[in-house]
Amino acid sequence: YLGGFGNYSGNPQVFDPNYVVTFASTEHNLDIWHVFVDAAQVFGNTLTNYSQKAADLDTVMTTRLYNSSLNRFNQGINGGVADTGDALDINSWGAIQLYATNKITQAQMAVAHFSSFTYTVNGVSGFAPFYDSPGYPGAVANVWYEGTFGAALALYDTGNYSAYRSLINQL
């Protein structure tokens, strides 16, 4: 699923509602996958086969958005070119989705990759949204509470209960 439609351009700015945003965000596609899974549970598959939509999206994410050489999802793709930026949320939400679709080894690698985001700032420890890397040059060390709780959820959902409890107690 691409980024949507619409763009402001020109001087003065004019809105073009037919402009197609060509960027596909991994995070947004992970969100959509969860919507399809939940819709199948709530509404069933009589009018729309939400289970099939989730399965189809899983296939596309695995083939187009997952980076097997880096053992994690890319941040997205734009016009066929991978955005290899490395953000915490694509790893935490990605681990949850990978585990739910029986890609256990890939989910475990995504969870193991959380260590790249670990920071302690002024005695507070947790995970940053990103780190100093090609996708985020000059990123400043910080602790992102929302993202850290998302990582805790991924730890829980993937069965890493000890690491989950440790992180929650730390927070």
Side-chain angles (χ1 to χ4, degrees):
Y1 290 88
L2 299 178
F5 297 93
N7 185 46
Y8 284 95
S9 64
N11 189 11
Q13 294 278 297
V14 176
F15 183 71
D16 176 4
N18 298 314
Y19 177 86
V20 177
V21 178
T22 60
F23 184 73
S25 161
T26 298
E27 178 191 355
H28 298 163
N29 277 274
L30 289 165
D31 293 342
I32 293 166
W33 179 85
H34 281 282
V35 168
F36 288 152
V37 169
D38 290 346
Q41 291 176 348
V42 172
F43 301 113
N45 291 306
T46 53
L47 296 176
T48 301
N49 192 335
Y50 292 110
S51 295
Q52 187 61 53
K53 286 181 176 287
D56 292 345
L57 183 53
D58 172 56
T59 299
V60 171
M61 288 190 302
T62 300
T63 58
R64 302 290 313 272
L65 298 173
Y66 189 81
N67 188 324
S68 58
S69 65
L70 296 174
N71 294 316
R72 63 170 178 80
F73 280 107
N74 289 324
Q75 185 163 273
I77 191 168
N78 191 7
V81 178
D83 175 349
T84 59
D86 193 13
L88 176 64
D89 51 9
I90 60 172
N91 289 282
S92 58
W93 301 142
I96 293 168
Q97 191 272 342
L98 290 165
Y99 194 82
T101 55
N102 256 351
K103 297 175 190 80
I104 307 304
T105 301
Q106 290 170 310
Q108 290 169 339
M109 287 188 276
V111 167
H113 188 56
F114 291 175
S115 63
S116 298
F117 302 89
T118 303
Y119 286 105
T120 299
V121 180
N122 298 325
V124 177
S125 296
F127 298 111
F130 35 77
Y131 57 92
D132 187 11
S133 62
Y136 297 97
V140 177
N142 66 83
V143 175
W144 179 34
Y145 273 92
E146 177 189 1
T148 302
F149 279 107
L153 176 62
L155 291 168
Y156 184 86
D157 279 3
T158 59
N160 293 291
Y161 302 121
S162 176
Y164 161 78
R165 283 187 203 95
S166 176
L167 183 56
I168 291 296
N169 288 337
Q170 177 181 305
L171 292 169

